[in-house]
């Protein structure tokens, strides 16, 4: 049974209206030529925090405020933490964000700049979550999970609504796949409006926890490894309540990418689409460039999830191409 209903998604849209951007859907002539079908980019890069995460965080925190909460904590690979910090400041809440030492410095600094308490804990997303849960127990914070939460999933699902409203005949949607909050939300909304829409998850080869869990038929642990798609790192939780089941039900296939492919996506975004994107946001474009979608039906939409790449890393990747 799904963690959310379509009514939850529409309520989430009402709740976040005015705080989150309705993002543009733009056609990519270059990718359309390569794919042989019309390709559109859903640009979550224009959100105030630079990623889609603001949708789920704002929906969750707005509901917590309604319930009387004043302090929130989360564990994050960067973008969710920044979104929670932004939403908390807008709603007058205190925020703490726990991150591992693998989170890039630019993302840590961005969270701190929004006034949140930053806690660096361990070398994995799981370590960061353990610390966040300690703050819940010992200091009375309300916990906002980065993905495995019905309020967060409903917020991310508003992307699916926007895609179907802007392009009713969309046939295929490519979504970055990590913990499953973005994928399950977008796929849920899209398939509940048009059950024939194909939803494809795209992720990196290095430490793809959801892919490994789907293959095993249950949530499993994976080693968290350094990758250009750092926002897709981390486990899905052995006690995963929502996103594993939703992703397993809604996903049509998974595309895995090596680091060179992700780098090509970043370069393509910059040179052909005039976009600065992080590795996790480049994976849909990388899949098209790799020819992994030669049989995909069009029109095809790629969710471009965020732009929060370390600028020196971006300069190095572009310079090496």
């Amino acid at each position: 049974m799904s963690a959310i209903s379509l009514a939850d998604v529409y309520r989430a849209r009402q709740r976040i209206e005015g705080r989150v951007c309705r993002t543009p859907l733009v056609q990519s002539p270059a990718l359309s030529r390569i794919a042989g079908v019309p390709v559109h980019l859903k640009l979550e890069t224009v959100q105030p925090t630079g990623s889609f995460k603001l949708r789920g965080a704002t929906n969750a925190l707005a509901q917590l405020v309604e319930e009387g909460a004043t302090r929130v904590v989360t564990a994050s690979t960067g973008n969710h933490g920044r979104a929670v910090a932004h939403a908390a400041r807008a709603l007058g809440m205190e925020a703490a964000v726990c991150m591992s030492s693998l989170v890039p410095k630019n993302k840590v600094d961005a969270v701190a700049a929004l006034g949140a308490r930053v806690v660096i804990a361990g070398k994995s997303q799981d370590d960061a979550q353990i610390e966040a849960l300690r703050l819940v127990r010992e200091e009375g914070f309300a916990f906002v999970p980065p993905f495995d939460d019905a309020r967060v999933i409903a917020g991310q699902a508003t992307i699916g609504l926007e895609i179907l409203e802007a392009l009713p005949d969309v046939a295929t949607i490519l979504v970055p796949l990590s913990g499953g909050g973005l994928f399950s939300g977008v796929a849920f909304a899209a398939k509940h409006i048009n059950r024939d829409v194909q939803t494809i998850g795209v992720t990196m080869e290095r430490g793809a926890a959801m892919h490994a869990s789907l293959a095993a038929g249950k949530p499993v642990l994976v080693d968290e490894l350094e990758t250009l798609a750092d926002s897709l790192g981390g486990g899905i939780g052995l006690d995963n309540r929502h996103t594993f089941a939703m992703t397993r039900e809604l996903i049509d296939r998974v595309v895995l990418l090596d680091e060179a492919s992700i780098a090509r996506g970043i370069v393509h975004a910059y040179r052909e689409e005039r976009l600065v994107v992080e590795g996790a946001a480049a994976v849909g474009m990388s899949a098209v460039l790799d020819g992994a979608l030669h049989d995909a039906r069009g029109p095809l939409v790629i969710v471009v999830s965020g732009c929060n790449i370390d600028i020196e890393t971006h300069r190095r990747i572009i310079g090496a191409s």
Side-chain angles (χ1 to χ4, degrees):
M1 184 176 180
S2 176
I4 61 172
S5 67
L6 200 56
D8 291 328
V9 182
Y10 282 106
R11 281 193 290 268
R13 179 155 72 176
Q14 291 178 330
R15 202 174 284 118
I16 69 178
E17 188 174 4
R19 301 184 187 278
V20 174
C21 295
R22 184 184 180 97
T23 55
L25 185 69
V26 299
Q27 187 163 6
S28 167
L31 292 174
S32 297
R33 287 193 298 270
I34 294 168
V37 297
V39 176
H40 296 75
L41 306 177
K42 180 64 170 168
L43 300 180
E44 289 299 299
T45 51
V46 305
Q47 294 293 356
T49 59
S51 90
F52 74 94
K53 289 283 191 177
L54 189 58
R55 294 175 184 263
T58 300
N59 188 49
L61 266 64
Q63 290 180 76
L64 285 171
V65 167
E66 293 168 5
E67 297 165 5
T70 60
R71 312 174 82 196
V72 294
V73 63
T74 193
S76 174
T77 53
N79 286 336
H80 176 67
R82 186 172 182 175
V84 167
H86 184 281
R89 186 169 71 171
L91 293 165
M93 305 177 80
E94 178 186 350
V97 179
C98 301
M99 294 176 279
S100 81
S101 59
L102 289 180
V103 175
K105 184 177 184 298
N106 69 300
K107 294 186 175 182
V108 175
D109 292 344
V111 171
L114 288 167
R117 172 178 163 189
V118 172
V119 182
I120 304 299
K123 297 182 178 180
S124 72
Q125 173 81 344
D126 291 336
D127 291 337
Q129 178 145 322
I130 290 169
E131 177 63 17
L133 294 177
R134 185 190 69 78
L135 293 178
V136 172
R137 292 192 307 272
E138 299 181 9
E139 299 189 27
F141 282 82
F143 183 57
V144 180
F147 52 86
D148 194 29
D149 180 272
R151 301 160 300 183
V152 170
I153 296 167
Q156 320 306 24
T158 60
I159 297 171
L161 291 184
E162 292 178 16
I163 291 171
L164 270 290
E165 289 167 353
L167 192 66
D169 62 340
V170 60
T172 305
I173 304 176
L174 303 189
V175 188
L177 180 65
S178 180
L182 175 62
F183 181 87
S184 60
V186 172
F188 176 88
K191 286 181 179 287
H192 275 70
I193 295 171
N194 179 359
R195 64 182 181 182
D196 292 328
V197 173
Q198 183 181 36
T199 50
I200 297 174
V202 191
T203 192
M204 70 290 184
E205 291 179 346
R206 293 174 58 82
M210 183 61 80
H211 172 67
S213 297
L214 292 171
K218 63 181 181 180
V220 297
L221 294 174
V222 298
D223 290 332
E224 188 170 343
L225 304 171
E226 287 193 35
T227 171
L228 288 175
D230 56 89
S231 294
L232 301 184
I236 70 167
L238 294 180
D239 58 349
N240 187 287
R241 297 177 301 156
H242 306 304
T243 59
F244 173 73
M246 289 183 68
T247 299
R248 181 172 58 180
E249 177 186 355
L250 296 166
I251 200 162
D252 289 297
R253 58 183 282 213
V254 177
V255 174
L256 293 177
L257 302 169
D258 62 24
E259 296 298 296
S261 294
I262 298 168
R264 282 194 294 274
I266 293 171
V267 172
H268 171 89
Y270 183 71
R271 293 190 171 163
E272 299 294 335
E273 314 295 344
R274 298 298 185 261
L275 297 171
V276 173
V277 301
E278 57 192 273
V283 294
M285 290 178 275
S286 299
V288 173
L289 295 171
D290 277 5
L293 302 163
H294 58 87
D295 57 346
R297 294 179 285 114
L300 184 151
V301 170
I302 297 172
V303 177
V304 183
S305 55
C307 63
N308 297 319
I309 188 171
D310 175 73
I311 198 63
E312 290 303 323
T313 300
H314 189 267
R315 186 176 291 119
R316 173 176 55 79
I317 292 169
I318 300 301
S321 63

